[in-house]
Amino acid sequence: MAIQSINFPWKEGKMLKLKQLALSFVLLLLSLAAIAQENPMGLVAGASAALVASQYDLIDRANGVYLYANKSRTVFVQLTDLRKASLENAYEQKTRNTNSFNRKQINSFAKGNYFSVINGVHFDYSKNPTTISFPFTPNGVYWGSRNENNRSLCVKSNNVATVELTGTGTPNYSYACKFSVILLHPDVDKGKKISKGRTYIGVPSKNNHFVLFFVTKNRTQGEMEAIANLWGVPKQRLIMGDGSGSSQYYGKNYRLFGNAGANSGPDNRTIPHAIVTRPGR
């Protein structure tokens, strides 16, 4: 006599529910991945993401680049995903291989497929052409002496960014960076308590594939550190670019210009160096 198998309806129903749960979980993961791609705020801000979301709006985006602004549009925060977008130093030397640079309007650096152009290094405001007040390494070229007041941003070939104290002695890291720039340690007093234009750059603790740019119309240094910390960038992973009227964000669709001082507005300042963000293709 043939043995017939017995199907238990409750068992089939349980298996169907498990399959449905598994499918729902996969769809949830795909949905979360899509949301992160559209708005990666949570990938850098972590536990502060809800607070950041209540204070900042996503106002522009391209492949690998996301621009946020506070409600009054006086603070811009740009998230750059190095796995898709890229950073470039833009400058014009008066004489090749010398510390002499022509100062230009920031829009003159906006060429090709750019998302934004942001001011960078400090310089001698009284001169044009000007020397770079603090050293940096565009394409491996180096001027000046390294000291404890400087910090470097280095983007490695694997698209991981680091912020490092530059220390003293001969530079030995630029060969390993496909992009690098040396700016100021955030402890350096550049009118700490004066509310004016500021440009800071940082790498979040949670994700080394992102570089964040903070450009403001009028903030103190302490306020800048608080903004960066809210976005997941602690002080030890933060560097300070030139500020005052030099602080400028020239985006393809949105722009912000820093106040030259506590009681004065932007001054259309020419600058010798800028950082260009190019979106992924």
Side-chain angles (χ1 to χ4, degrees), residues 90-92 101-104 109 123 130 132 270-274:
Y91 56 93
E92 182 181 281
F101 294 83
N102 294 319
R103 290 171 55 185
K104 305 169 69 174
F109 297 115
F123 59 95
T130 181
I132 300 301
T270 55
I271 57 175
H273 167 258

Side-chain angles (χ1 to χ4, degrees), residues 149-166:
N149 290 333
N150 302 143
R151 269 185 178 171
S152 66
L153 170 72
C154 174
V155 177
K156 309 285 187 181
S157 59
N158 60 353
N159 298 320
V160 166
T162 63
V163 169
E164 306 164 1
L165 287 169
T166 58

Side-chain angles (χ1 to χ4, degrees), residues 74-75 190-198 216-224 227 243-245 247 258-265:
T74 56
V75 179
K190 299 297 286 186
K192 276 190 175 185
K193 297 183 180 180
I194 299 174
S195 184
K196 59 181 180 179
R198 305 279 182 182
T216 64
K217 183 179 180 63
N218 51 350
R219 291 295 188 277
T220 65
Q221 288 181 219
E223 288 170 335
M224 291 299 293
I227 291 169
S244 185
S247 286
N259 288 347
N263 300 309
S264 57

Side-chain angles (χ1 to χ4, degrees), residues 184-235:
L184 278 181
H185 192 293
D187 282 341
V188 176
D189 189 343
K190 299 297 286 186
K192 276 190 175 185
K193 297 183 180 180
I194 299 174
S195 184
K196 59 181 180 179
R198 305 279 182 182
T199 299
Y200 281 50
I201 308 174
V203 178
S205 298
K206 292 180 65 67
N207 197 322
N208 283 358
H209 289 296
F210 284 91
V211 169
L212 277 70
F213 293 85
F214 304 92
V215 182
T216 64
K217 183 179 180 63
N218 51 350
R219 291 295 188 277
T220 65
Q221 288 181 219
E223 288 170 335
M224 291 299 293
E225 291 169 16
I227 291 169
N229 190 63
L230 180 66
W231 279 87
V233 180
K235 189 174 181 179

Side-chain angles (χ1 to χ4, degrees), residues 133-151:
S133 300
F134 300 95
F136 70 114
T137 56
N139 302 328
V141 181
Y142 184 88
W143 297 275
S145 59
R146 304 169 76 184
N147 60 73
E148 66 277 5
N149 290 333
N150 302 143
R151 269 185 178 171

